[in-house]
Amino acid sequence: MGRSKKKTSTTTTVAPQRTSAAQSMAAQLSDSESIIRLLKSTSHTERIDACNTLAAMVNPSYYSGMVACGCVDLLVNLISDKMPSVAIAAAGAVRNICVEVGVVAAQSLANTGLTNNLLAVLDFAEFALANLEESGRVKKDCGMHWYYASAADLSRLLSQVFSILSSLCEASEKAVSDFTAEQVKTNGKHLSFIMNNTIVTSNMT
């Protein structure tokens, strides 16, 4: 009898299709150059997509890579982006880092100057809220680059900023020191603003 021929399978494995914008961008974020390019993009939509993707991908093992490639520093800077939608996305990513990675991340973030950056955002938000039109958007002639922001945009951003500040101050003595020093300098300006707006923002979101 002749040898029987070994049957070969004709079944092919089909890779699952990516079904969301965040998943489809994951491949682009596989190396530091792609991450940096998207976060530095002149396109605000690309900056938003990159922030949202990073927010969805955050976990303790991935965080070290985010720090190493420099994208954490870029996220910190994007919190004060001239586009409110970018600032919101960046703040969301940083908030996720604090939640998912925990104390270690909060402590390292405090060393990036994030606390003072967040306080600067509060200054922007306070001015913007004081210049809202009846339509719910910031007045175009108020002299700030967030003139097209809505009250809802500001509420979302403030909610993120309050959460991040809380995480930083719970985990880092440096964050507490930076926050306290600024309050002494400004006679408690930011602390008062936070206390006066926490309930408002929780009702608006």
Side-chain angles (χ1 to χ4, degrees):
M1 295 178 62
R3 293 182 179 179
S4 59
K5 293 184 179 180
K6 184 177 180 180
K7 293 183 179 180
T8 57
S9 174
T10 58
T11 303
T12 57
T13 301
V14 179
Q17 297 294 312
R18 298 185 184 277
T19 58
S20 70
Q23 289 175 320
S24 66
M25 283 185 64
Q28 293 179 313
L29 296 174
S30 60
D31 60 76
S32 60
E33 290 184 0
S34 295
I35 296 173
I36 300 300
R37 178 178 60 79
L38 291 169
L39 291 174
K40 287 184 173 181
S41 173
T42 56
S43 165
H44 72 277
T45 56
E46 285 194 347
R47 297 198 302 277
I48 291 170
D49 287 343
C51 290
N52 289 340
T53 301
L54 288 172
M57 295 171 65
V58 169
N59 61 63
S61 60
Y62 186 65
Y63 178 66
S64 60
M66 293 172 64
V67 173
C69 73
C71 68
V72 170
D73 287 337
L74 288 172
L75 284 175
V76 169
N77 291 333
L78 287 177
I79 287 178
S80 55
D81 194 272
K82 65 180 181 179
M83 296 290 291
S85 52
V86 176
I88 291 168
V94 173
R95 179 183 177 278
N96 278 14
I97 289 173
C98 292
V99 172
E100 297 296 331
V101 184
V103 174
V104 173
Q107 291 174 339
S108 69
L109 284 167
N111 292 325
T112 66
L114 174 58
T115 304
N116 289 328
N117 200 356
L118 293 171
L119 295 178
V121 172
L122 292 185
D123 288 335
F124 280 129
E126 182 178 23
F127 184 77
L129 287 171
N131 285 276
L132 288 177
E133 297 179 325
E134 291 184 3
S135 64
R137 291 194 173 276
V138 179
K139 296 176 183 177
K140 290 186 177 181
D141 59 353
C142 72
M144 72 179 303
H145 57 245
W146 283 1
Y147 67 83
Y148 38 75
S150 67
D153 290 333
L154 296 172
S155 175
R156 290 175 60 197
L157 182 58
L158 286 175
S159 294
Q160 303 282 26
V161 169
F162 293 164
S163 177
I164 297 168
L165 275 173
S166 177
S167 295
L168 294 186
C169 289
E170 287 178 4
S172 168
E173 291 184 4
K174 175 173 172 49
V176 174
S177 177
D178 290 343
F179 182 82
T180 302
E182 190 65 22
Q183 299 325 295
V184 170
K185 187 188 303 182
T186 62
N187 196 27
K189 173 183 177 182
H190 301 103
L191 182 59
S192 177
F193 178 74
I194 291 171
M195 293 178 67
N196 290 334
N197 285 276
T198 301
I199 297 177
V200 174
T201 55
S202 65
N203 289 337
M204 292 175 67
T205 53

